[in-house]
Amino acid sequence: MALRQKKQRTEPKYELLYHPEIPGRGEYIRLVFEATGIPYTDVSNQEKNGYQKVLNLITEANPPAFAPPALLVHGGDYHGKPLVISQTSNILLYLGPKLGLVPEGDEIAKYHVNGLAMTALDFCNEAHDVHHPIDIEQYYEQQKEEAMKKGKAFTKRRIPKFFGYFETVLKANKEGNGMYLVGKSLTYADTTLWQVLEGIEFAFPKTVAKISKTYPLLSSNFRQNIREHKRLKEYLSSDRRLPFSMGIFRHYPELDA
Amino acid sequence: MALRQKKQRTEPKYELLYHPEIPGRGEYIRLVFEATGIPYTDVSNQEKNGYQKVLNLITEANPPAFAPPALLVHGGDYHGKPLVISQTSNILLYLGPKLGLVPEGDEIAKYHVNGLAMTALDFCNEAHDVHHPIDIEQYYEQQKEEAMKKGKAFTKRRIPKFFGYFETVLKANKEGNGMYLVGKSLTYADTTLWQVLEGIEFAFPKTVAKISKTYPLLSSNFRQNIREHKRLKEYLSSDRRLPFSMGIFRHYPELDA
């Protein structure tokens, strides 16, 4: 108990600034806190009028954020303004060493973790663009025809390309036993890729079912390992874990294989 | 002369691994070397059979790169393989402190520089997707109809959104006098955004001409400052500077406003 109190006193207070009710890009940030048991506040989902606070903080930051998610670190102060960091992989880069989610004392591995997380997030962005290929400010239904064309290209070539790439990475990292992308312990590249794969399976279940066997490390060792991670397992069955719905990853059967 | 020799001995040898003949995403890396006078080899453009070497190095790296650009650092050795770092902003993150292109001793400013560079690169990606909204493995002509729809949304709303965002960032950074995004000296966020703006103007000249006056810091102070940077000015008039053509930024008049 004494240890825990000490820990709480010395750790900064973290606030996640993101849209409410959807996992979205905020989930990549939630996962690293949940995997390590570090307290954080999910402002939009946990505080009354939280989303307005999120929007204000993002605008008032210096530099302002282009879009959520952003991370607010209390106790930090930068040019008299709240310390706000934006861009998903940039937030993960900041938190990685603080949360023990990059290999310790291995400067180069940090760049490898960061690069892999960024590639996983590129995959996420492409999945989003499938249902919004023309205009993100219009509804899916207004660009459905184009989305169906993009869905064909994405399921036929892009999903296999990304799956194949990450399978190769897992294979090349001998000490990871198919469970970790870099080194032999959990990094934020793992939690990020895992969440992208969950989203891809939610949105394109037929495609994933059809090709999974071709990528055994990714589909079995890797995904299973995260699912069985003690703290993440607890989180995934809690009501803090938000289900996929109509955010980045959407299940429109007509866009699947 | 003695100083220069000493410098060459202690500096690692950098090789840029990228496609030949186009500026592309390789240009964001070239610019930071050129702005600081640090020697580098642009392998595809400077070595015989360079592109094959690029492709091999990228595949053989551990982890392999998903796509160029990548940076090869000689003298570095990681798990017995060449030290290769991929993802554009990740390479810039690695080089930033080594080349003096992030504010020194300001840990938080490093994340701000990184986030701003990433947002500039998001803008670059969106500009690319305008001419390839459906399938990057097919020709523009095969998706021209969709591209024209996306061009309308991009020129009408996305270009002004990004311009407005960066104008706000410049305005909020008082000590930068409209010339620097973070702090009072050049960072890789500046060189990266500048190159994106050059590309946007190449691809969408009418749109840029129409709206530039609304964003005076960005259109004048900021862009002019980089153009007049001593080393960059020399580079921009050299034959090492590759012209835009049919890469990420393409000038299809029918996609402009």
Side-chain angles (χ1 to χ4, degrees), chain A residues 18 22 24-25 28 124-125 127-129 131 246-250:
Chain A
Y18 194 62
I22 53 167
R25 292 187 178 85
Y28 304 111
C124 164
N125 289 346
H128 167 273
D129 290 352
H131 57 75
M246 295 297 276
I248 297 171
F249 297 107
R250 303 185 187 181

Side-chain angles (χ1 to χ4, degrees), chain A residues 146-213:
Chain A
E146 295 87 354
M148 286 178 69
K149 288 187 189 176
K150 197 172 179 86
K152 262 187 200 140
F154 186 71
T155 53
K156 192 170 173 189
R157 287 192 294 273
R158 300 302 285 173
I159 292 182
K161 185 174 166 82
F162 279 101
F163 274 38
Y165 171 69
F166 286 112
E167 182 78 8
T168 306
V169 173
L170 288 170
K171 206 168 175 181
N173 179 32
K174 301 288 180 210
E175 60 180 348
N177 287 316
M179 299 188 297
Y180 305 110
L181 290 166
V182 178
K184 54 189 174 188
S185 58
L186 191 73
T187 69
Y188 70 78
D190 298 320
T191 53
T192 300
L193 175 59
W194 181 83
Q195 172 67 8
V196 175
L197 296 175
E198 292 291 302
I200 294 287
E201 185 168 38
F202 169 78
F204 306 97
K206 284 188 185 170
T207 301
V208 171
K210 205 168 66 179
I211 68 170
S212 281
K213 278 188 185 163

Side-chain angles (χ1 to χ4, degrees), chain B residues 23-212:
Chain B
R25 292 186 177 87
E27 193 67 11
Y28 303 112
I29 315 301
R30 289 184 201 101
L31 282 175
V32 296
F33 286 122
E34 296 287 351
T36 54
I38 301 297
Y40 69 105
T41 306
D42 188 345
V43 178
S44 290
N45 289 312
Q46 295 177 347
E47 292 184 7
K48 206 184 161 186
N49 300 322
Y51 193 44
Q52 192 52 53
K53 186 180 158 192
V54 165
L55 296 178
N56 292 346
L57 277 167
I58 284 177
T59 313
E60 289 164 14
N62 186 359
F66 184 74
L71 180 75
L72 172 66
V73 187
H74 280 275
D77 192 287
Y78 184 68
H79 297 187
K81 298 273 186 173
L83 166 49
V84 178
I85 298 177
S86 64
Q87 282 279 5
T88 308
S89 78
N90 197 33
I91 298 168
L92 295 171
L93 180 77
Y94 175 81
L95 290 174
K98 293 177 172 63
L99 271 48
L101 288 177
V102 290
E104 212 173 335
D106 186 341
E107 187 63 16
I108 292 309
K110 274 170 39 178
Y111 293 97
H112 289 157
V113 169
N114 194 49
L116 290 162
M118 293 186 73
T119 302
L121 291 169
D122 284 348
F123 192 14
C124 164
N125 289 346
E126 286 194 28
H128 168 272
D129 290 351
V130 170
H131 57 75
H132 274 75
I134 302 298
D135 190 341
I136 61 162
E137 297 188 30
Q138 289 197 318
Y139 292 110
Y140 163 66
E141 288 72 16
Q142 294 171 282
Q143 48 202 309
K144 186 173 168 179
E145 199 185 321
E146 295 87 354
M148 285 177 69
K149 288 187 190 175
K150 197 172 179 84
K152 261 186 201 140
F154 187 71
T155 53
K156 194 171 171 187
R157 286 192 295 272
R158 300 301 286 173
I159 293 182
K161 185 175 165 79
F162 279 101
F163 274 38
Y165 171 70
F166 285 113
E167 181 78 9
T168 306
V169 173
L170 288 170
K171 207 169 174 180
N173 179 33
K174 301 288 180 209
E175 60 181 347
N177 286 316
M179 299 188 297
Y180 305 110
L181 290 166
V182 178
K184 54 189 174 188
S185 59
L186 191 72
T187 70
Y188 69 79
D190 298 321
T191 54
T192 300
L193 174 60
W194 181 83
Q195 173 65 8
V196 175
L197 296 175
E198 291 291 302
I200 294 287
E201 185 168 38
F202 169 78
F204 306 97
K206 282 187 186 170
T207 301
V208 171
K210 204 168 66 181
I211 68 170
S212 282

Side-chain angles (χ1 to χ4, degrees), chain A residues 129-135 138-152 250-256, chain B residues 134 146 149:
Chain A
D129 290 352
V130 169
H131 57 75
H132 274 75
I134 302 297
D135 191 341
Q138 289 195 317
Y139 292 109
Y140 163 66
E141 287 73 16
Q142 294 172 282
Q143 49 202 306
K144 187 173 169 180
E145 199 185 320
E146 295 87 354
M148 286 178 69
K149 288 187 189 176
K150 197 172 179 86
K152 262 187 200 140
R250 303 185 187 181
H251 181 223
Y252 295 118
E254 64 273 23
L255 302 184
D256 197 2
Chain B
I134 302 298
E146 295 87 354
K149 288 187 190 175

